[in-house]
């Protein structure tokens, strides 16, 4: 009976994982990794996700790598007077019982030297390196940029 319950619990969590597009490693949960579709002429892109830490100890994201890009770096945006500039960071903290967001305009994983254009509907593997959780491979979904406001009939 117990074994049966355990088996269903595993099946349930597997299907939840697929639907919600989440990845778990120990106390860490990596929620909805995505990258924005960009014109094929663009050799760089960025990946975004939300890191949740359900544990009692801080963890840190130390780096990332993916076969689709020559190089992946952790970046953040900083204010330089009136302008926002990207800056490389060595790590990003995920506080105990906290979360860290990688979002457009904030932290992101910068992808350099893309080996192929990222098209909406595609996905690619991204390996995240954490201080405590170690290496975690997630699947990044490529999504279309939000539709721009179009002036029609003018
Ligand atoms: Cu960047």
């Amino acid at each position: 009976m117990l074994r049966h319950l355990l088996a269903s619990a595993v099946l349930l969590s597997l299907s939840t994982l697929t639907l919600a597009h989440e990845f778990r490693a120990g106390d860490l949960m990596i929620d909805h990794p995505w990258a924005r579709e960009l014109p094929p002429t663009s050799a760089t892109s960025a990946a975004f996700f939300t890191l949740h830490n359900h544990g009692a100890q801080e963890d840190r994201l130390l780096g990332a790598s993916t076969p689709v890009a020559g190089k992946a770096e952790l970046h953040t945006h900083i204010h330089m007077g009136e302008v926002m500039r990207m800056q490389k960071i060595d790590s990003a903290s995920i506080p105990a019982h906290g979360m860290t967001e990688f979002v457009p305009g904030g932290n992101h994983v910068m992808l350099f030297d893309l080996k192929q254009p990222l098209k909406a509907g595609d996905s690619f593997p991204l390996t995240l390196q954490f201080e405590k959780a170690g290496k975690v491979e997630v699947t990044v979904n490529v999504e279309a940029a939000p539709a721009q406001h179009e002036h029609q009939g003018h």
Side-chain angles (χ1 to χ4, degrees):
M1 183 60 185
L2 181 63
R3 180 166 296 173
H4 179 71
L5 279 176
L6 283 175
S8 358
V10 168
L11 283 177
L12 186 68
S13 65
L14 278 178
S15 60
T16 308
L17 199 97
T18 311
L19 287 174
H21 191 54
E22 299 169 352
F23 301 85
R24 281 172 192 280
D27 291 326
L28 287 187
M29 191 185 83
I30 300 115
D31 191 22
H32 190 62
W34 68 282
R36 189 177 281 165
E37 180 185 49
L38 289 172
T41 48
S42 178
T44 60
S45 187
F48 310 102
F49 38 77
T50 305
L51 303 173
H52 296 270
N53 184 355
H54 299 297
Q57 280 190 303
E58 180 202 33
D59 204 342
R60 305 184 73 85
L61 178 61
L62 303 176
S65 63
T66 171
V68 303
K71 188 170 63 161
E73 286 182 352
L74 304 183
H75 277 195
T76 192
H77 277 90
I78 52 163
H79 289 277
M80 301 267 291
E82 300 277 294
V83 286
M84 296 269 278
R85 280 259 165 80
M86 291 197 298
Q87 190 171 67
K88 188 173 183 275
I89 52 175
D90 291 331
S91 66
S93 166
I94 312 117
H97 303 297
M99 61 177 259
T100 298
E101 284 186 301
F102 279 62
V103 289
N107 291 345
H108 54 280
V109 174
M110 195 83 195
L111 307 172
F112 294 98
D113 305 326
L114 288 174
K115 291 167 185 169
Q116 64 203 63
L118 300 182
K119 287 202 281 276
D122 287 355
S123 60
F124 60 88
L126 178 72
T127 302
L128 300 173
Q129 173 83 52
F130 295 95
E131 190 175 72
K132 295 197 179 72
K135 282 188 175 170
V136 184
E137 186 179 297
V138 302
T139 303
V140 179
N141 292 347
V142 181
E143 297 180 4
Q148 305 228 320
H149 184 74
E150 286 182 74
H151 294 275
Q152 288 180 332
H154 289 289

